[in-house]
Amino acid sequence: MSTIKTKDGTEIYFNDWGTGQPIVFSHGWPLSADAFEDQMFFLASRGYRCIALDRRGHGRSSQPWDGNDLDTYADDLAALVEKLDLKNAIHIGHSTGGGEVARYIGRHGTRRVAKAALIGAIPPVMLKSEANPAGLPIEVFDQLRAGVVADRSQFFKELSLPFYGYNRPGAKVSEGVKESFWRQCMMAGFPASYFCIKAFSETDLTQDLKRFDIPTLVLHGDDDQIVPIADSALLSSKIIKNAKLVVYEGAPHGMCTTLKDRVNAELLSFIES
């Protein structure tokens, strides 16, 4: 297995496919590097080196009690980038992974970064507050935590429906995709499954987005039931200097899977532009 060890002893697993300019993928909660396998295979087949880590507590990485916060996630990502000595890298983050990319740039800058893409991503901040009145109320995230504690296996099975838009009329449901989602979710440790909810919902990434000084693609579905577009992409694309916003009509949160051909072509066009 390909792993690195962070300063607190956590082992971070990563996939490393192909050769060429590096593309680094940061996955969403509570998935793993496998969530990006369609994009990685497509881009590695076209002359890029595709690297995706399993976030601490997720997938094949260690399951520590501590460090399930975006600062630590970003520092783990930086440790991987530095260990592999990646330069001129393109960072692609989905959902919580988009927050990880934002915090990585906020904490570590863009010295090693060429471009970034945020897909269905959480920035600037999901939680409703006086400063963010359009956000989601804390009760939404309390319900997620309650679901994880009560029966996380069943909870994740049910979460796959809104995640991929399979609860919409006329949706073409893939049992295989649902099972892959559940498998990845259950590989995440219980602490990460629970504590990461606070990390992705309450972390304000506004100042991190202001540090972006590289070409950035913001890609989001307007039927995203997990990270609603109005309080995420429509705001972050205005905060990031010269960001390119692309909205997919009717697309769900898990569009890297359900619309993989379209997303792959979008990413390749952005990378090569």
Side-chain angles (χ1 to χ4, degrees):
M1 284 181 27
S2 299
T3 62
I4 63 162
K5 187 168 285 189
T6 66
K7 60 186 179 182
D8 71 350
T10 299
E11 286 198 347
I12 302 295
Y13 170 89
F14 63 96
N15 289 328
D16 190 349
W17 301 349
T19 58
Q21 184 179 8
I23 304 176
V24 185
F25 295 84
S26 295
H27 64 80
W29 169 89
L31 301 174
S32 71
D34 295 350
F36 273 119
E37 63 184 10
D38 291 315
Q39 287 67 48
M40 291 182 67
F41 189 83
F42 175 84
L43 292 167
S45 300
R46 284 157 179 79
Y48 293 93
R49 181 184 179 187
C50 294
I51 301 156
L53 76 166
D54 285 356
R55 185 172 300 117
R56 70 166 52 214
H58 298 66
R60 292 140 292 199
S61 292
S62 300
Q63 298 185 3
W65 181 262
D66 296 320
N68 290 291
D69 58 81
L70 276 170
D71 283 357
T72 307
Y73 295 158
D75 290 350
D76 289 348
L77 176 58
L80 176 65
V81 167
E82 289 161 16
K83 179 70 173 178
L84 299 180
D85 194 24
L86 303 180
K87 298 171 183 174
N88 198 38
I90 297 153
H91 282 265
I92 298 175
H94 174 248
S95 196
T96 299
E100 179 178 289
V101 170
R103 183 50 52 94
Y104 166 72
I105 289 174
R107 285 173 71 84
H108 300 277
T110 56
R111 181 172 59 90
R112 293 177 176 267
V113 183
K115 295 182 179 182
L118 308 180
I119 306 174
I122 61 171
V125 60
M126 291 191 72
L127 183 65
K128 182 178 181 178
S129 65
E130 287 187 11
N132 186 42
L136 295 172
I138 190 68
E139 289 78 14
V140 171
F141 305 107
D142 287 341
Q143 288 172 7
L144 296 181
R145 281 182 277 263
V148 167
V149 170
D151 183 349
R152 72 188 186 106
S153 179
Q154 183 60 35
F155 170 73
F156 289 142
K157 285 193 172 189
E158 294 171 1
L159 184 63
S160 68
L161 298 178
F163 194 97
Y164 296 108
Y166 289 162
N167 56 348
R168 296 307 197 205
K172 183 180 179 181
V173 178
S174 166
E175 291 300 321
V177 167
K178 289 170 59 180
E179 289 174 8
S180 177
F181 179 86
W182 177 83
R183 174 187 61 82
Q184 290 179 65
C185 291
M186 291 306 294
M187 286 175 70
F190 203 117
S193 298
Y194 186 89
F195 294 130
C196 186
I197 296 170
K198 179 180 178 67
F200 74 66
S201 63
E202 298 183 30
T203 306
D204 190 338
L205 297 154
T206 303
Q207 296 306 314
D208 304 272
L209 297 177
K210 291 178 180 179
R211 292 201 65 189
F212 280 53
D213 57 3
I214 36 87
T216 303
L217 172 67
V218 178
L219 183 59
H220 217 102
D222 69 3
D223 192 33
D224 190 322
Q225 300 172 67
I226 308 299
V227 181
I229 189 172
D231 199 45
S232 54
L234 298 189
L235 298 180
S236 62
S237 61
K238 294 177 181 178
I239 298 170
I240 298 169
K241 298 184 189 75
N242 301 317
K244 178 185 178 183
L245 173 65
V246 178
V247 178
Y248 284 6
E249 184 178 353
H253 190 59
M255 63 183 178
C256 288
T257 299
T258 62
L259 297 172
K260 62 183 181 182
D261 292 340
R262 187 176 175 189
V263 171
N264 290 349
E266 192 86 54
L267 290 173
L268 184 62
S269 176
F270 170 68
I271 290 164
E272 295 186 340
S273 64

